[in-house]
């Protein structure tokens, strides 16, 4: 450990509010559940099975994130690096680095697939997939090139660590995360369901919360 935490503080309201963007960013994985339902096999596709899969995966992910966060805090304290693998030094940490890299490799295709699918839907391709496989692959490579260029731009500007990285994460999480995790799902429900629906009022509250977060977090 780089710093011994003598009196750990688990929750500070003012600090939590200032990091809302980062907190909301972790909730964006919930949107994957919609695609999970679409691609489930027809013989098991139902709201019951979808609820089981969604609840289980999101809950397991939540528990893992909480454990990782607490362990990291107790080990490194305020010296925790923004790039997590940089916290570990020595060969004893190599297994943890490998596990983290595997996690990122498995995580990226989820968000990338949703990005590609959504962009294709936005330009009028209802299936979310281009007709020819090579055209679909080319489109994927172009998206990857744009994402890689964005990352390199952040590196060259020095926005990948420290306070700058925290600001980028807070803004992206506060705006995009609030929209896709709160506001947009609530809007979809409010538009398609009658006033008498059981979750109509909770979704209205969720929409207001998401709209408020979009304004408050960047501020």
């Amino acid at each position: 450990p780089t710093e011994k935490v003598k009196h750990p503080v688990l929750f500070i309201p003012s600090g939590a509010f200032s990091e809302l963007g980062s907190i909301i960013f972790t909730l964006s994985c919930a949107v994957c559940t919609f695609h999970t339902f679409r691609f489930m096999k027809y013989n098991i596709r139902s709201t019951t099975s979808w609820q089981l899969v969604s609840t289980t995966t999101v809950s397991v992910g939540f528990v893992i994130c909480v454990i990782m966060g607490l362990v990291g805090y107790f080990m490194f304290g305020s010296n925790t690096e923004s790039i997590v693998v940089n916290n570990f030094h020595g060969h004893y940490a190599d297994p943890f680095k490998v596990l983290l890299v595997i996690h990122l490799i498995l995580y990226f295709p989820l968000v990338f697939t949703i990005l590609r699918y959504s962009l294709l839907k936005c330009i009028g391709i209802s299936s979310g997939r281009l007709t020819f496989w090579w055209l679909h692959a080319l489109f994927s490579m172009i998206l990857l090139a744009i994402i890689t260029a964005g990352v390199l731009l952040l590196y060259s500007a020095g926005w990948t660590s420290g306070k700058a990285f925290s600001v980028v994460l807070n803004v992206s999480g506060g705006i995009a995360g609030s929209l896709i995790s709160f506001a947009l799902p609530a809007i979809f429900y409010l538009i398609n369901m009658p006033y008498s629906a059981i979750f109509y009022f909770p979704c209205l509250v969720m929409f207001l919360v998401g709209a408020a977060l979009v304004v408050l977090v960047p501020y």
Side-chain angles (χ1 to χ4, degrees):
T2 58
E3 177 183 347
K4 189 175 181 179
V5 182
K6 297 180 179 179
H7 302 287
V9 180
L10 296 183
F11 181 73
I12 302 177
S14 59
F17 184 80
S18 64
E19 297 296 329
L20 268 178
S22 300
I23 296 172
I24 296 170
F25 187 83
T26 63
L27 300 175
S28 59
C29 64
V31 299
C32 298
T33 60
F34 296 106
H35 293 267
T36 300
F37 180 79
R38 176 179 174 82
F39 292 104
M40 290 178 72
K41 294 182 178 180
Y42 286 103
N43 58 332
I44 61 172
R45 182 188 295 177
S46 66
T47 53
T48 303
S49 58
W50 180 49
Q51 183 179 18
L52 176 62
V53 172
S54 302
T55 303
T56 302
T57 53
V58 173
S59 299
V60 171
F62 171 78
V63 171
I64 292 175
C65 287
V66 170
I67 293 174
M68 290 178 62
L70 289 176
V71 171
Y73 174 71
F74 284 120
M75 287 185 66
F76 307 110
S78 59
N79 290 328
T80 304
E81 298 285 346
S82 56
I83 301 178
V84 183
V85 293
N86 290 342
N87 291 292
F88 300 99
H89 303 282
H91 295 296
Y92 77 93
D94 289 343
F96 299 100
K97 293 181 180 181
V98 172
L99 288 175
L100 180 63
V101 171
I102 292 174
H103 159 74
L104 294 175
I105 291 174
L106 295 176
Y107 171 79
F108 182 74
L110 275 176
V111 292
F112 179 78
T113 300
I114 293 174
L115 170 65
R116 182 181 60 192
Y117 180 87
S118 301
L119 287 176
L120 290 175
K121 294 279 285 188
C122 287
I123 63 178
I125 301 176
S126 58
S127 64
R129 184 176 182 85
L130 295 171
T131 305
F132 302 103
W133 70 267
W134 60 268
L135 194 57
H136 197 69
L138 178 62
F139 182 73
S140 301
M141 295 301 295
I142 292 174
L143 283 180
L144 286 172
I146 294 174
I147 294 171
T148 303
V151 172
L152 293 176
L153 179 62
L154 291 175
Y155 267 104
S156 63
W159 292 350
T160 56
S161 62
K163 185 64 177 178
F165 178 77
S166 178
V167 171
V168 171
L169 187 60
N170 282 330
V171 172
S172 61
I175 297 176
S178 297
L179 285 174
I180 66 177
S181 300
F182 295 99
L184 291 180
I187 289 175
F188 297 153
Y189 189 91
L190 295 174
I191 291 176
N192 293 284
M193 301 299 291
Y195 295 107
S196 57
I198 185 173
F199 294 114
Y200 194 88
F201 180 73
C203 281
L204 181 60
V205 174
M206 189 169 74
F207 166 73
L208 295 176
V209 169
L213 289 172
V214 170
V215 176
L216 291 176
V217 172
Y219 175 77

